[in-house]
């Protein structure tokens, strides 16, 4: 078993130090030390007694063999409960547990050894004793006169075990650092004088020539009837799921007044993927107070980014978004999207948020399959938005297509592809474009032939049903190798700051309570240190997934450029994303330029994971918040 452990560690080590640190520094040394002693002691003693009977196994051998077992077990527990990074506290606690196990075993074995010795000496014996004691009494060195030495050893050992355990527990309660600077204190020339997020608000006017887009969203509970007849007890914006689509043309002013009618948790609007000024970001306890029932909040920002985005509540979002507090945000360019020869009116542009209500998949506003008649030759754009906490698989059957945009940002020279599946991360978006063929085509979701969307050319009722195509074997399109390279606006190799984010499960404090948490560098929100940056910094993240679940990583207020995955550089179009799926065992390198001052949530977009601790904040030097509470007492923000 020890050999198997060593092999695993060697294999894992090739993926990076984060995967093996605690095993190399603690687990294996503990196991190796106990195991070596066990082999030498047991080997010597067993040869000395010359018998294979278990009853004759000398005390020392038993104790060391079992201690080796404890060391192996504790090493595994450290990996599962504590993980990366290894702390002194964990090391001390682990050592003391193994030590305590060894001492207890020694005590039990010694007592038993004495009984056996007594039986062999002719004192009254049971049949059981006979069976065990008959072959060979323990050798003299292991009974009688050794008691005082044994007593001394167990007293001293006990003291060491208690000391280590006490120190380990003590260190657990030592307050950890509350800020990490990712490679040095802020450059004073880049630090700004203090500014509150409350003052980082959006523009009051549209860009010249732009319009005002006013929306009123009333957050309320509602019973929503889906097209299939199924009813959902939902939390909604305006009584519908999804909430009303918010649309604008580049340069318009978006002004949304949010009213909370009766959402008991409170509600906000977070503009997912939209790099709004921080005061409009909708993160309760950080950029605003939560909007309680009866209250309102007005969001206002310029539609400077073109593309497909979405909005959702950020208050207890693992519950609120799941229950229906989400909708689409789509901004189109001033010039209609260019397809040679097509008048804008002749295009089909469908916005398709995907959401799962108690196992029922709802695409846009319907469960079951949607049908549209489209004249052949019509340019089509499908805007897919994953509003769930798990990834979806998307495929287009019956037509070649291009992935025009990912997370709202256009790709550079995306090539035509067909017969491929697309993996859409939780929170992520794809814009798929193609020209309507003269036969039916289908958007297939999660390989389910009964859902999705079917487009058929006008006038033709029949034709093959492409939704029936078996697409489960289609390969997954790798976006890191799709499209062609283009210039990027900064030098990612000369980052000013570099943060490592190791994702795992483990025992950690979450909102002031110990939990089997979803952890970031071994800690849970709000005890994960803030990442400190200064305006103008080039910032690099290394995101490592040590766990067995997928983590869609999402930074507010910025899109990040994907540099590499598992050490392989991105070689296609520059890939700018706001959410990227870090699958088990993967390591992603991403970078961005810090140009949007604020305090930004940085978290896993599997929202239950965020709720279970997988969340932290990226803070610009000099930016403060009046809405939360400072370090140590930040529990005002509940994701
Ligand atoms: Cu779409 Cu912090 O979230
Ligand atoms: Cu996660």
């Amino acid at each position: 078993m020890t050999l198997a452990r060593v092999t695993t560690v060697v294999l894992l080590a090739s993926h990076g130090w984060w995967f093996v640190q605690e095993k190399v520094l603690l687990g294996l040394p503990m196991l190796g030390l106990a195991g070596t002693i066990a082999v030498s002691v047991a080997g010597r003693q067993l040869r000395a007694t010359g018998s294979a009977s278990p009853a004759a196994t000398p005390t020392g051998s038993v104790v060391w063999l079992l201690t080796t077992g404890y060391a192996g077990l504790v090493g595994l527990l450290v990996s599962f409960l504590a993980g990366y990074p290894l702390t002194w506290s964990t090391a001390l606690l682990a050592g003391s547990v193994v030590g305590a196990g060894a001492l207890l075993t020694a005590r039990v074995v010694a007592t038993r050894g004495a009984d056996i010795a007594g039986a062999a000496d002719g004192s009254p014996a049971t049949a059981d004793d006979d069976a065990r004691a008959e072959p060979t009494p323990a050798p003299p060195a292991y009974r009688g006169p050794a008691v005082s030495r044994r007593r001394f050893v167990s007293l001293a050992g006990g003291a060491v075990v208690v000391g280590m355990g006490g120190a380990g527990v003590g260190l657990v309660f030592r307050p950890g650092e509350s800020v990490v600077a990712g490679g040095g204190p802020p450059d004073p020339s880049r630090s700004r004088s203090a500014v509150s997020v409350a003052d980082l608000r959006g523009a009051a006017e549209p860009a010249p020539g732009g319009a005002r887009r006013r929306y009123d969203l009333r957050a309320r509970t509602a019973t929503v009837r889906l097209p299939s007849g199924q009813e959902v007890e939902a939390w909604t914006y305006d009584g519908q799921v999804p909430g009303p689509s918010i649309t604008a043309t580049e340069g318009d002013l978006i002004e949304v007044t949010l009213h909370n009618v009766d959402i008991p948790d409170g509600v906000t609007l977070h503009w997912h993927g939209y790099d709004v000024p921080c005061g409009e970001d909708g993160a309760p306890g950080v950029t605003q107070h939560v909007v309680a029932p009866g209250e309102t909040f007005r969001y206002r920002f310029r539609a400077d980014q073109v593309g497909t985005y979405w909005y959702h509540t950020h208050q207890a979002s693992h519950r609120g978004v799941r229950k229906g507090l989400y909708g689409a945000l789509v901004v189109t360019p001033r010039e209609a999207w260019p397809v040679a020869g097509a008048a804008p009116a002749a295009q089909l542009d469908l916005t398709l948020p995907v959401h799962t209500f108690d196992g029922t998949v709802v695409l846009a506003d319907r469960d079951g399959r949607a049908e549209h008649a489209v004249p052949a030759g019509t340019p089509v754009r499908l805007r897919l938005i994953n509003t769930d906490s798990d990834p979806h698989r998307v495929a287009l059957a019956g037509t070649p297509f291009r992935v025009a945009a990912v997370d709202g940002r256009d790709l550079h020279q995306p090539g035509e592809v067909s017969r491929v599946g697309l993996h859409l991360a939780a929170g992520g978006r794809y814009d798929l474009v193609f020209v309507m063929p003269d036969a039916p085509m289908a958007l297939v979701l999660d390989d389910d032939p009964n859902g999705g969307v079917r487009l058929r050319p006008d006038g033709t009722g029949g034709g093959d049903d492409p939704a029936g195509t078996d697409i489960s074997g289609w390969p997954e399109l790798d976006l890191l190798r799709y499209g062609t390279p283009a210039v990027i606006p900064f030098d990612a190799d000369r980052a000013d700051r570099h943060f490592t984010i190791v994702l795992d499960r483990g025992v950690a404090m979450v909102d002031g309570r110990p939990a089997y948490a979803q952890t970031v560098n071994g800690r849970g929100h709000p005890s994960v240190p803030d990442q400190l940056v200064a305006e103008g910094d080039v910032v690099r993240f290394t995101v490592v997934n040590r766990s067995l679940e997928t983590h869609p990583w999402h930074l507010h207020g910025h899109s990040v450029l994907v540099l590499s995955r598992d050490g392989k550089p991105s070689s296609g179009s520059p890939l700018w994303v706001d959410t990227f799926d870090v699958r088990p065992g993967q390591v992603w390198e991403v970078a961005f330029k810090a140009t949007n001052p604020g305090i930004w949530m940085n978290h896993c977009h599997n929202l239950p994971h965020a709720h279970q601790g997988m969340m932290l904040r990226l803070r610009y030097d000099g930016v403060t918040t009046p809405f939360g509470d400072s370090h140590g007492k930040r529990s005002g923000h509940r994701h």
Side-chain angles (χ1 to χ4, degrees):
M1 282 172 72
T2 302
L3 280 178
R5 289 278 280 280
V6 172
T7 316
T8 320
V9 169
V10 169
L11 286 177
L12 281 175
S14 65
H15 295 264
W17 176 238
W18 316 281
F19 295 95
V20 294
Q21 186 220 27
E22 87 290 359
K23 304 176 186 73
V24 170
L25 295 185
L26 181 70
L28 288 187
M30 241 170 21
L31 184 59
L33 185 66
T36 309
I37 299 177
V39 166
S40 68
V41 169
R44 187 161 45 77
Q45 291 184 348
L46 288 175
R47 240 179 293 119
T49 58
S51 164
S53 160
T57 310
T59 318
S61 309
V62 173
V63 171
W64 279 109
L65 285 167
L66 284 173
T67 301
T68 307
Y70 305 151
L73 216 59
V74 168
L76 277 181
L77 282 177
V78 166
S79 284
F80 280 105
L81 301 181
Y84 180 94
L86 180 66
T87 60
W88 279 108
S89 159
T90 303
L92 289 168
L93 283 171
S96 94
V97 168
V98 174
L103 288 176
L104 261 152
T105 307
R107 228 194 138 85
V108 169
V109 172
T111 315
R112 198 198 69 158
D115 286 351
I116 293 170
D121 286 347
S123 29
T126 63
D128 188 36
D129 274 344
D130 273 351
R132 280 192 284 148
E134 207 185 335
T136 325
Y142 296 97
R143 53 177 181 156
V147 162
S148 62
R149 192 192 66 166
R150 187 182 294 139
R151 206 192 167 83
F152 172 75
V153 167
S154 69
L155 276 179
V160 169
V161 161
V162 168
M164 280 168 76
V169 170
L171 286 177
V172 168
F173 292 102
R174 189 188 53 167
E177 56 201 340
S178 59
V179 172
V180 286
D187 171 352
S189 69
R190 284 187 184 167
S191 297
R192 47 192 293 165
S193 46
V195 59
S196 161
V197 287
D199 297 325
L200 296 170
R201 300 303 300 265
E205 301 293 331
R212 272 173 198 275
R213 305 272 183 161
R214 287 214 177 84
Y215 293 85
D216 268 291
L217 294 189
R218 304 177 64 78
R220 61 182 178 87
T221 59
T223 304
V224 176
R225 204 182 165 83
L226 297 172
S228 69
Q230 187 185 334
E231 291 194 336
V232 177
E233 292 306 324
W235 288 2
T236 70
Y237 292 111
D238 277 10
Q240 61 181 82
V241 289
S245 280
I246 294 181
T247 58
T249 305
E250 189 180 4
D252 288 353
L253 187 75
I254 296 178
E255 199 174 293
V256 184
T257 308
L258 169 68
H259 310 262
N260 183 357
V261 179
D262 63 351
I263 301 297
D265 282 2
V267 66
T268 66
L269 286 172
H270 166 60
W271 312 98
H272 183 116
Y274 222 71
D275 303 339
V276 296
C278 193
E280 312 289 347
D281 191 50
V286 179
T287 69
Q288 65 171 98
H289 290 303
V290 67
V291 181
E295 295 180 347
T296 61
F297 191 92
R298 190 190 59 187
Y299 299 88
R300 198 165 60 183
F301 55 91
R302 243 189 227 166
D304 291 327
Q305 273 166 267
V306 165
T308 310
Y309 304 88
W310 62 299
Y311 63 84
H312 61 80
T313 185
H314 218 278
Q315 170 69 6
S317 55
H318 63 290
R319 180 164 49 235
V321 177
R322 178 172 52 79
K323 281 173 161 286
L325 290 169
Y326 70 95
L329 165 65
V330 174
V331 178
T332 45
R334 281 281 175 109
E335 318 284 325
W337 52 279
V339 170
Q347 300 166 3
L348 177 69
D349 189 330
L350 289 178
T351 301
L352 301 166
V354 183
H355 198 80
T356 308
F357 290 96
D358 297 327
T360 302
V361 175
V362 174
L363 189 56
D365 56 358
R366 50 180 311 139
D367 53 344
R369 189 206 283 178
E371 285 253 358
H372 297 268
V374 189
T378 307
V380 179
R381 175 172 290 237
L382 304 179
R383 302 171 184 267
L384 282 147
I385 307 174
N386 186 351
T387 69
D388 281 325
S389 277
D390 290 302
H392 282 289
R393 181 175 149 94
V394 178
L396 296 189
T399 181
F401 67 98
R402 296 171 201 274
V403 183
V406 172
D407 287 2
R409 285 90 180 169
D410 285 348
L411 296 187
H412 187 244
Q413 299 181 335
E416 200 167 67
V417 290
S418 56
R419 304 180 70 82
V420 290
L422 291 166
H423 174 97
L424 181 55
R429 286 90 59 213
Y430 290 146
D431 284 27
L432 309 181
V433 303
F434 56 93
V435 174
M436 183 64 198
D438 54 11
M441 67 72 60
L443 165 82
V444 187
L445 202 57
D446 302 320
D447 301 355
D448 173 13
N450 302 314
V453 177
R454 182 170 186 258
L455 305 185
R456 58 181 165 72
D458 245 351
T460 65
D464 279 354
D465 182 2
T469 323
D470 180 17
I471 60 161
S472 55
W474 289 4
E476 185 180 315
L477 179 67
D478 184 359
L479 292 173
L480 268 67
R481 287 187 275 158
Y482 180 65
T484 62
V487 277
I488 55 166
F490 54 77
D491 182 358
D493 290 331
R494 270 199 236 124
D496 301 288
R497 284 159 207 276
H498 188 165
F499 299 101
T500 301
I501 298 172
V502 178
L503 308 174
D504 203 352
R505 294 215 70 168
V507 174
M509 300 295 279
V510 178
D511 284 325
R513 276 182 298 273
Y516 188 49
Q518 299 279 356
T519 57
V520 177
N521 299 333
R523 302 224 225 145
H525 179 79
S527 313
V528 185
D530 287 357
Q531 297 168 327
L532 186 71
V533 303
E535 197 171 347
D537 282 348
V538 172
V539 184
R540 216 172 147 130
F541 286 169
T542 301
V543 187
V544 179
N545 186 351
R546 261 184 63 121
S547 79
L548 301 173
E549 293 161 287
T550 292
H551 299 297
W553 199 255
H554 172 57
L555 170 65
H556 287 205
H558 307 75
S559 61
V560 301
L561 176 72
V562 177
L563 304 176
S564 72
R565 183 188 56 218
D566 293 338
K568 280 192 221 75
S570 164
S571 59
S573 160
L575 186 58
W576 293 92
V577 293
D578 50 65
T579 318
F580 51 99
D581 249 348
V582 187
R583 297 191 227 183
Q586 284 186 341
V587 179
W588 287 63
E589 294 273 347
V590 302
F592 61 96
K593 186 147 187 177
T595 52
N596 193 6
I599 303 177
W600 302 100
M601 303 313 296
N602 189 14
H603 64 91
C604 177
H605 217 282
N606 181 311
L607 299 174
H609 291 182
H611 178 67
Q612 291 162 54
M614 203 170 264
M615 175 160 61
L616 67 154
R617 315 193 302 182
L618 177 116
R619 181 157 64 79
Y620 280 62
D621 193 38
V623 181
T624 60
T625 174
F627 303 112
D629 15 65
S630 51
H631 308 304
K633 203 193 155 286
R634 280 191 236 137
S635 44
H637 180 88
R638 292 282 179 79
H639 195 292

